[in-house]
Amino acid sequence: TSMTPAGKLQDYLKKRVQGSGGQYRKVRWEGRNGCPDCFVWWDWPSLAFIEIKAENGKYKDRHSVVQAREVARMQEAGVPVFTATCEADIDRIIEEVRKLAIAS
């Protein structure tokens, strides 16, 4: 079975988070669209929602209108929501989120 580009990135995110002592969950809102793909956390307040949008050559995965609105709503309320399009994004996001515990 071949994984989609987004599936491969989610798998990479899960391995990186768990390998660094964090927790990873696939997320879905109940009765509502636009939820970011993943929720990750370490020690409080190191946590974030992460939307995976794979870029594969000419194929570009984009936020839907509903998703963009939901992410914006969350970010405006101070909820950490990131979008990752490649492994380097994931590495950078993990580093940034883990610094939240150190800063508090």
Side-chain angles (χ1 to χ4, degrees), residues 49 51 77:
F49 286 92
E51 177 62 28

Side-chain angles (χ1 to χ4, degrees), residues 28-33 35:
R28 198 170 61 204
W29 292 158
E30 192 73 33
R32 189 176 188 100
N33 294 327
C35 180

Side-chain angles (χ1 to χ4, degrees), residues 21-57:
Q23 300 291 320
Y24 166 96
R25 299 292 186 272
K26 185 88 175 82
V27 188
R28 198 170 61 204
W29 292 158
E30 192 73 33
R32 189 176 188 100
N33 294 327
C35 180
D37 296 311
C38 312
F39 181 63
V40 299
W41 75 91
W42 291 265
D43 291 334
W44 176 262
S46 292
L47 55 88
F49 286 92
I50 301 174
E51 177 62 28
I52 301 292
K53 292 294 181 194
E55 294 190 5
N56 183 18

Side-chain angles (χ1 to χ4, degrees), residues 34-81:
C35 180
D37 296 311
C38 312
F39 181 63
V40 299
W41 75 91
W42 291 265
D43 291 334
W44 176 262
S46 292
L47 55 88
F49 286 92
I50 301 174
E51 177 62 28
I52 301 292
K53 292 294 181 194
E55 294 190 5
N56 183 18
K58 63 182 188 278
Y59 167 77
K60 293 241 192 299
D61 198 2
R62 296 204 184 342
H63 285 115
S64 69
V65 173
V66 171
Q67 197 171 47
R69 195 170 33 229
E70 189 76 353
V71 166
R73 184 178 290 141
M74 293 169 77
Q75 288 173 329
E76 285 163 13
V79 177
V81 183

Side-chain angles (χ1 to χ4, degrees), residues 9-24 38-43 45-52 80-102:
L9 280 178
Q10 280 186 18
D11 200 46
Y12 179 78
L13 172 64
K14 182 178 181 178
K15 285 185 174 119
R16 287 280 288 114
V17 168
Q18 291 176 338
S20 64
Q23 300 291 320
Y24 166 96
C38 312
F39 181 63
V40 299
W41 75 91
W42 291 265
D43 291 334
S46 292
L47 55 88
F49 286 92
I50 301 174
E51 177 62 28
I52 301 292
V81 183
F82 298 89
T83 299
T85 61
C86 61
E87 289 183 0
D89 284 349
I90 289 170
D91 293 340
R92 178 185 48 75
I93 291 165
I94 287 172
E95 188 178 323
E96 193 173 325
V97 173
R98 293 198 67 202
K99 281 181 185 164
L100 296 172
I102 297 160

